[in-house]
Amino acid sequence: MNTADLFGNVTSPVRWDEPLCDGAVVLRGFALADETALLHALDAVVMQTPFRHLITPGGFRMSVGMTNAGSLGWVSDRRGYRYDPVDPLSGKPWPGLPEAFLQLATAAAAHAGFAGFVPDACLINRYEAGTRLSLHQDRDEHDLGQPIVSVSLGMPAVFLFGGRLRKDAQVRVPLAHGDVVVWGGPARLRYHGVMPLKPGYHEALGGVRINLTFRKAG
Ligand code: MD3
Ligand code: FE
């Protein structure tokens, strides 16, 4: 969405690119132009498939609330982690990928050099004060040549970006409302996580951070 400045000039939100490493780039503010459409689409998805706390195969309740849109969704239970076409809460397919989600993910991937990215899964993570995501790799997608696009909305968070091995040192990357990150190529299998969310308030979503991760899972 465009805004008018003090003098009535119409301006676009500020955007810039911040390369993180080979294969990963932070597109600062890339989602701000579509903020309203994204938040409405998010509401529509969550009405059909509410956030829930997955139980890890080890029996622990995750502090992140999760749901999905697209033809495949990320689920976990005592049987393990997997992509599944059916929402276990409703017994029905996940809601389709909203047009605004799809357009943003495709545009961000193309901007980062991954033309033709067509995600079939959008994992939606919800963080509240104290919520964290421990260090992990994303390696359950069929074609690891496809990137992952992540969109941060609401409260800022500190993202931990490690290396190919769990023991490798991590860099801290602050991610704010409207930032989009594209992770592909040599960055695709790097360990990563999210530090516990600090309490606070953001005008878009209150005390909550939402992260959308777009994947070609199948
Ligand atoms: C780096 N989500 O859902 S997005 C996840 O903020 C996940 O909710 C975090 O990690 C979040 O799996 C981080 C950034 C992200 C996603 C996938 C990656 C970074 C990645 C895959 C490879 C390397
Ligand atoms: Fe991840």
Side-chain angles (χ1 to χ4, degrees), residues 12-186:
S12 298
V14 186
R15 314 196 324 191
W16 72 95
D17 296 355
E18 251 177 55
L20 263 186
C21 66
D22 203 11
V25 61
V26 186
L27 311 179
R28 297 286 182 194
F30 195 90
L32 291 177
D34 306 311
E35 171 177 10
T36 310
L38 292 171
L39 293 174
H40 278 111
L42 175 66
D43 269 346
V45 168
V46 171
M47 298 248 272
Q48 298 169 72
T49 179
F51 289 107
R52 75 289 307 263
H53 294 271
L54 300 185
I55 306 297
T56 68
F60 294 100
R61 173 190 189 269
M62 293 185 72
S63 65
V64 182
M66 291 184 172
T67 189
N68 294 277
S71 55
L72 289 170
W74 181 244
V75 299
S76 104
D77 53 29
R78 290 302 194 129
R79 285 160 49 202
Y81 292 104
R82 65 187 174 279
Y83 284 102
D84 200 306
V86 171
D87 174 0
L89 273 188
S90 69
K92 295 190 302 186
W94 302 98
L97 270 186
E99 199 57 40
F101 281 22
L102 195 56
Q103 276 181 21
L104 176 69
T106 300
H111 187 86
F114 296 94
F117 177 59
V118 182
D120 55 14
C122 175
L123 171 60
I124 307 174
N125 291 332
R126 182 192 61 192
Y127 297 77
E128 294 170 302
T131 301
R132 65 193 288 271
L133 187 62
S134 52
L135 210 62
H136 67 279
Q137 289 174 302
D138 291 25
R139 56 175 177 208
D140 292 270
E141 299 73 30
H142 228 86
D143 178 3
L144 295 173
Q146 294 290 323
I148 290 183
V149 174
S150 88
V151 179
S152 293
L153 295 169
M155 286 287 291
V158 177
F159 178 75
L160 291 174
F161 193 41
R164 303 282 292 224
L165 303 173
R166 184 177 282 281
K167 66 168 179 63
D168 291 342
Q170 300 137 27
V171 294
R172 289 165 152 69
V173 183
L175 292 178
H177 178 70
D179 290 346
V180 177
V181 194
V182 182
W183 322 83

Side-chain angles (χ1 to χ4, degrees), residues 128-131 155-158 195-201 207-208:
E128 294 170 302
T131 301
M155 286 287 291
V158 177
M195 296 279 285
L197 197 78
K198 295 225 167 79
Y201 179 88
V208 167

